[in-house]
Structure formats: C-alpha cells, structure tokens
Amino acid sequence: MITVNAMGDACPIPVIKAKKALQELQGPEVVEVLVDNEIAVQNVTKMASSTGGDVTSEKISEREFKVIIRTDRVMPRTEVKEEEVVCHPDRRSDTVVVIASDRMGEGNDALGAVLIKGFLFAVSQLDELPKAILFYNGGAKLTCEGSDSLEDLKTMEAQGVEIMTCGTCLDYYGLKEKLQVGSVTNMYSIVETMDQAGKIIRP
C-alpha cells in the first residue's frame, strides 16, 4: 500500500498528490490518501473513480479521513498541473433518504436484502449525495456489525453524508454496541431532519 499524506492541504493539492501517486504505479496497487476535510474526500473520490479505480473512504475522526483507491490500471505519466485540476463544490444536496427496513419492497426477504444493498450502493454513486440518511425500525440493522452495506455507508459518511440511526430501535434489537457507522439519534432529530429536507426518498 502507498500512503499519500494530504492532511492540511487545500484543494487541488490532495487531488494532485493522489493523481501523481496513481501515475507512478507499475501495476495493481492500493493507494491510501489521508485528508482532513469532506470536500477533499469528494474531489479525490471523483478523480479516482474517473480513472476506473475502486474507491472507498472512511471517516477516522472529525478532521481525519482516509480514501482508499484500488487499481489494476497503469495510468499514463503526464505532468499534473495545479491549474488543470478542477475543485468541485460540495456534492451534497438537501435530500434526505429514509430507511425503515433492512429489506426493500414486499415479497421474498432474500431478494429484498439484495435490493436494499443495491439501493444504498446506487445512492453512494449519485452525482449529488443526500445530506443525510436516516435509519429506524429494521433499517437500524443496516448500520450495524454484519451489514453488507457498511462500506458504502462509510464512504458516504466520509463525504459528509450524515448517517443517523434511531437509538430506541438499536436498543429494541439489542444492537447499540454493534453500531459501526454514523451516530445514534432520537425521534425529535429524525422529525427535524425530515422537516428541513428539500426532498425525502423512501425505498
């Protein structure tokens, strides 16, 4: 693994450092980019995705983020100029996604589990990410240990998406100690977040 330290660097420097590291690869490799803000995560992610790399990211602390780029493609070596790198604005919209079940739709439960995983992955690939994703009732299971969607949720959280799970629901299912991403919230905050949303999406 190659580590690129872009902590404290303003855009476009994190993107330039990451792109140079990718161009220096001789073959399949993993590049880890460390940054200190969500906009940098968004811009490095967008650049890496455009090269065909498999990109995930994670919020380590309030001012520490990690972007992981896995690639098996050798990029052409060209000079990376600062003025040629575009810094994109915040990708988050005022949309809130509400997840009330660990299944999507009615009918076969196994199919429903596959569909909700696909849904959350699709949300993570939107050009404009939601500002928050709310999980309650059975949906609370998706933010906990064993969930197939944790990687996608952590990637969105690192890009500034608020991942909020109902505390009452976690208690009911005995999952409070197994929460793996985001924060615990209450019904007042859930209602307030939905009330302030420009658009609400319910799968």
Side-chain angles (χ1 to χ4, degrees):
M1 178 183 288
I2 296 172
T3 298
V4 176
N5 188 346
M7 297 288 289
D9 293 334
C11 188
I13 302 304
V15 177
I16 291 172
K17 285 184 173 180
K19 195 166 188 177
K20 284 182 177 178
L22 289 171
Q23 288 183 345
E24 290 171 2
L25 299 181
Q26 301 297 318
E29 187 57 271
V30 177
V31 176
E32 174 187 74
V33 186
L34 305 177
V35 296
D36 62 6
N37 65 88
E38 295 153 347
I39 304 301
V41 175
Q42 293 178 19
N43 281 291
V44 171
T45 298
K46 192 172 184 68
M47 179 279 296
S49 296
S50 71
T51 69
D54 177 25
V55 190
T56 59
S57 50
E58 186 174 351
K59 182 176 182 178
I60 308 302
S61 65
E62 197 59 38
R63 300 290 295 172
E64 186 178 1
F65 305 84
K66 178 169 61 178
V67 182
I68 303 294
I69 307 165
R70 296 176 177 84
T71 182
D72 56 7
R73 176 184 174 189
V74 178
M75 294 177 61
R77 295 193 181 192
T78 58
E79 184 181 358
V80 184
K81 298 179 180 179
E82 183 170 331
E83 60 270 20
E84 293 176 352
V85 177
V86 178
C87 287
H88 297 276
D90 196 338
R91 287 178 60 203
R92 290 168 293 180
S93 66
D94 62 352
T95 298
V96 171
V97 177
V98 178
I99 309 288
S101 173
D102 60 344
R103 305 285 188 271
M104 184 175 181
E106 298 179 3
N108 184 277
D109 285 346
L111 175 59
V114 172
L115 293 177
I116 197 66
K117 182 180 186 300
F119 173 83
L120 288 170
F121 172 75
V123 171
S124 75
Q125 301 302 302
L126 291 173
D127 286 336
E128 280 197 337
L129 297 171
K131 71 174 181 181
I133 307 179
L134 307 177
F135 294 87
Y136 54 79
N137 208 324
K141 299 174 184 177
L142 296 172
T143 58
C144 295
E145 185 180 311
S147 167
D148 290 334
S149 294
L150 289 179
E151 191 172 275
D152 294 330
L153 294 175
K154 288 180 179 180
T155 291
M156 286 190 280
E157 181 184 40
Q159 295 182 69
V161 178
E162 283 192 88
I163 308 296
M164 306 164 67
T165 305
C166 165
T168 301
C169 306
L170 290 170
D171 283 336
Y172 181 85
Y173 289 111
L175 294 172
K176 204 152 196 176
E177 302 304 317
K178 296 186 177 182
L179 185 68
Q180 296 292 304
V181 59
S183 60
V184 178
T185 191
N186 54 49
M187 192 54 66
Y188 177 81
S189 294
I190 289 173
V191 171
E192 185 177 52
T193 302
M194 292 173 69
D195 181 60
Q196 295 174 356
K199 179 169 62 177
I200 295 175
I201 297 176
R202 294 182 176 89

